[in-house]
Amino acid sequence: MDQRFEVTERFAEGAQFIAGSLRSGTSGRTQDVVDPATGETVLRYELAGTGDVDAAVAAAAQALPGWARATPGERSEALHRFAAALAEDAEDLAAAESLNCGKPIRLSKEFDVPGTIDNAAFFAGAARHLEGKAAGEYSGDHTSVIRREPVGVVGSIAPWNYPLQMAAWKVLPAIAAGNTIVLKPAEITPLTSLLFAQAAQRAGLPDGVLNIVSGAGRDAGERLVGHPDVAMTSFTGSTAVGKRVAEIATGTVKRLHLELGGKAPFVVFDDADLEAAVHGAVAGALINTGQDCTAATRAYVQRPLYDAFVSGVADLMATVRPGDPFDPDTDLGPLISHTQRDRVAGFVERARGYATVVTGGEAPQGELAKGAYYRPTLITGAAQDSEIVQSEIFGPVLVVLPFDSDDEGLALANDTPYGLAASAWSRDVYRTGRATREINAGCVWVNDHIPIISEMPHGGAKASGFGKDMSAYSFEEYTQVKHVMYDITGVAKKDWHRTIFGDRA
C-alpha cells in the first residue's frame, strides 16, 4: 500500500498561503481536516478570517502590475516550470488528495494528478496565444485593434470533491492571462491547494500572484466575493450557494463565472452497444464515489434494452470493491464525510417509498463501518418528477428509467433544472447527432461518459451556471476585451464633427 501523507509537519505554520508563505488564520476558530475513510482528524488548523482575506487580496493587488506587465513568454516560462514542479510533487499530491478526500489512490494517481499537471502544461502554452481580432480599417479612417487585458485580482472558490483539479481549473487560466488570484478551497479539503501553491512558489511565480485562504464560506468566502478590490469571482459548487455568490457579487458589479450542480442524463437508444453502455454507466455513476457534478445519475434506456441494462448494471455494481483508499485494489472510496453519507442514505431511504432499490442502498459493515462508505446503489421504478430523479444526490446512486420513442428519451433527458453534462449511446450517427443538438448541456458525450481534456471547455447551462473552465475558451472569463482605435487621416476638422457643430464645407 502507498504511504499516507504526513500532514501535520507540512502545515505546521498554518493553512493560509499569503504573499508566498504559510501562516495561521486569525478567525479565532479551528477546523479539523478528517480522513473520511477512518473518521480520524489528520490536521487541525486556524481558519481564515476576514482580515486574512484582506491581506491576501492586498498581496494579489500588489503583485498584479508586475505580473500583468510580464510578457506572454515570461508567463509561459513560469507556468512550464510550475508544471514541472507539480510533476515532481506527484506522489505527495496523490497521497494528500486520497487522505483528505477518500479517493482511491488509483483515481488520484491516474486522473486527478496527471490531469492537473496536463492543465498546467496546456496553459503554459496557451499563455502565448491571447489573441484578438486582427487589426483593420473598419471605419475607413481608423485602424482598430483588439487588446486582451487581465481582469485584475480574481477571487475564486473551489469545492471539496476535486480540490486539486479545481484549484488548477481556477488558478491556471487566471494567471496565464496575467491576473493574480486569491483561492478559497473548501475548508474541509485544503491540503492539495496548499501544496499546489507551494509548487508555484518553487517554480518562481512572484509572491502574491497565487494566494490561498482556507476559511468558512460565510466568513472568508463572502468577504472574498464581496471585496471591493476583487474584480472577478469564479465559483464551483452547489446551485443554492451559487445563487448566494451571485447575489453578493452583484453588489460590486463583479464579473462572475459559475459552475454549479448537475444531474447528468445517460441516454441509451435501442441500437446501443449494451456491454459498452453498462460499463459506461457504472464507471460514470461511481467515479469519485458519485461526488462529481457530471456523474451519470439518470439513465434513460429505450425499452427493448431496459431489462438487460438494469440486470447488467446490477451485476457489475456487485463486483465493485469498496475499501481503504490506499489499497491499490480498492475501486470505491468513502464519501467525503459521514454527514454526506447520511445525506445520500436519506435520498435512498425516501425513495424506497416510491421506487425499487435493486442493489446497494446501505453502508457496509465490518471494518469499513467507521468510514463514510456507501455501497453502489441502483434504483428503478421512480417517476420522472420524483426527488431521486430531479435532485442532485452527489453519491454512488444511479436511477434507471425506460422510454419508448426517441422524442420521449430526449425530452426526459432535458427535464431537470440542470444542464451540465450528458451522454448518448447509439450506433446510429444520425441519432447521436440529434442528441448532441437537442440535449441542453455544456458537454454531450457520445458512447462514453466522463472523459475531459485540457484543450476542451467545461461548463454548463440552465441552473448549472455559465462560463467555462479549461481550454482557451476560459480566457473569455479572465480577460477584458479592449478596443483601441487610431485615426489614420491626420485631418483636424473631420467630416463627422459637422454632425455636432458648424457647417459642412
Side-chain angles (χ1 to χ4, degrees):
M1 290 188 191
D2 291 71
Q3 292 298 311
R4 293 180 184 272
F5 182 76
E6 294 298 329
V7 176
T8 305
E9 61 192 51
R10 291 294 295 268
F11 302 117
E13 297 169 87
Q16 319 301 325
F17 187 87
I18 300 172
S21 62
L22 288 172
R23 63 175 75 173
S24 289
T26 61
S27 69
R29 294 182 294 115
T30 60
Q31 172 69 44
D32 287 346
V33 176
V34 175
D35 175 356
T38 64
E40 296 174 359
T41 296
V42 297
L43 178 70
R44 178 169 294 157
Y45 71 91
E46 298 285 337
L47 284 162
T50 56
D52 301 302
V53 174
D54 292 346
V57 172
Q62 184 174 359
L64 179 63
W67 186 246
R69 285 195 301 266
T71 67
E74 289 168 339
R75 291 199 293 267
S76 175
E77 288 176 6
L79 286 168
H80 276 300
R81 294 193 302 270
F82 189 10
L86 291 169
E88 291 171 359
D89 288 352
E91 291 293 325
D92 278 353
L93 289 166
E97 195 80 335
S98 286
L99 179 65
N100 200 172
C101 303
K103 295 176 188 284
I105 195 68
R106 275 188 290 146
L107 184 65
S108 294
K109 283 188 170 184
E110 298 175 25
F111 183 73
D112 296 68
V113 173
T116 299
I117 296 167
D118 185 70
N119 255 246
F122 170 80
F123 280 106
R128 303 185 83 134
H129 297 282
L130 280 167
E131 297 175 348
K133 186 176 287 187
E137 287 69 51
Y138 296 94
S139 79
D141 293 337
H142 307 83
T143 295
S144 285
V145 177
I146 294 296
R147 291 175 56 87
R148 282 196 178 271
E149 298 180 346
V151 173
V153 175
V154 176
S156 290
I157 299 176
W160 48 257
N161 58 331
Y162 288 102
L164 178 61
Q165 290 208 70
M166 293 299 100
W169 288 14
K170 300 299 184 196
V171 169
L172 292 168
I175 64 175
N179 304 282
T180 56
I181 188 167
V182 179
L183 174 72
K184 192 197 88 65
E187 62 269 31
I188 61 174
T189 56
L191 303 184
T192 46
S193 296
L194 294 166
L195 295 177
F196 186 79
Q198 289 177 307
Q201 183 188 39
R202 287 204 329 274
L205 269 70
D207 292 349
V209 169
L210 168 55
N211 307 274
I212 307 290
V213 289
S214 304
R218 290 195 177 276
D219 299 325
E222 294 201 0
R223 176 58 177 166
L224 181 60
V225 173
H227 200 291
D229 295 332
V230 169
M232 175 196 166
T233 289
S234 177
F235 170 80
T236 296
S238 71
T239 298
V241 178
K243 291 177 181 178
R244 175 61 178 157
V245 168
E247 184 180 284
I248 298 169
T250 300
T252 50
V253 198
K254 285 178 170 48
R255 181 176 294 199
L256 188 60
H257 165 217
L258 298 174
E259 197 268 87
L260 306 176
K263 191 71 177 175
F266 187 101
V267 182
V268 183
F269 295 100
D270 58 13
D271 65 339
D273 181 327
L274 179 62
E275 182 182 19
V278 166
H279 280 78
V282 173
L286 300 185
I287 184 170
N288 203 32
T289 318
Q291 298 168 125
D292 186 311
C293 47
T294 64
T297 58
R298 300 178 288 139
Y300 296 102
V301 184
Q302 207 152 23
R303 209 169 290 275
L305 292 185
Y306 177 80
D307 289 340
F309 180 87
V310 170
S311 176
V313 168
D315 289 346
L316 193 56
M317 278 188 170
T319 71
V320 172
R321 299 163 296 189
D324 181 352
F326 286 88
D327 184 339
D329 291 332
T330 289
D331 297 323
L332 192 78
L335 291 152
I336 189 64
S337 67
H338 286 82
T339 299
Q340 179 65 11
R341 192 270 312 276
D342 293 345
R343 178 180 179 275
V344 171
F347 275 104
V348 175
E349 290 308 307
R350 291 190 296 275
R352 291 184 192 276
Y354 55 81
T356 300
V357 178
V358 177
T359 189
E362 62 183 4
Q365 301 303 306
E367 185 65 20
L368 298 183
K370 62 185 178 182
Y373 290 89
Y374 199 76
R375 292 195 182 282
T377 299
L378 178 64
I379 293 175
T380 62
Q384 173 66 13
D385 62 355
S386 62
E387 177 191 54
I388 203 79
V389 174
Q390 292 291 325
S391 298
E392 187 173 34
I393 300 168
F394 234 52
V397 179
L398 176 65
V399 185
V400 186
L401 295 87
F403 69 92
D404 291 305
S405 69
D406 289 15
D407 288 350
E408 181 191 10
L410 296 175
L412 290 169
N414 282 328
D415 184 29
T416 72
Y418 299 105
L420 186 59
S423 62
W425 298 74
S426 170
R427 292 183 173 95
D428 185 330
V429 66
Y430 297 105
R431 263 180 160 173
T432 58
R434 180 188 176 191
T436 63
R437 292 190 303 274
E438 295 188 11
I439 295 176
N440 190 0
C443 173
V444 181
W445 292 284
V446 175
N447 295 325
D448 209 344
H449 194 109
I450 287 296
I452 53 175
I453 50 175
S454 297
E455 291 84 357
M456 289 292 116
H458 175 87
K462 302 194 294 185
S464 293
F466 47 82
K468 300 299 180 184
D469 288 308
M470 299 201 298
S471 83
Y473 292 98
S474 65
F475 285 139
E476 300 299 324
E477 319 304 326
Y478 294 101
T479 56
Q480 295 275 17
V481 174
K482 178 186 286 185
H483 174 212
V484 179
M485 200 172 198
Y486 298 90
D487 171 67
I488 61 173
T489 67
V491 174
K493 298 180 179 180
K494 294 178 170 56
D495 188 57
W496 77 266
H497 294 172
R498 304 308 180 267
T499 63
I500 312 300
F501 66 92
D503 299 322
R504 291 188 182 275

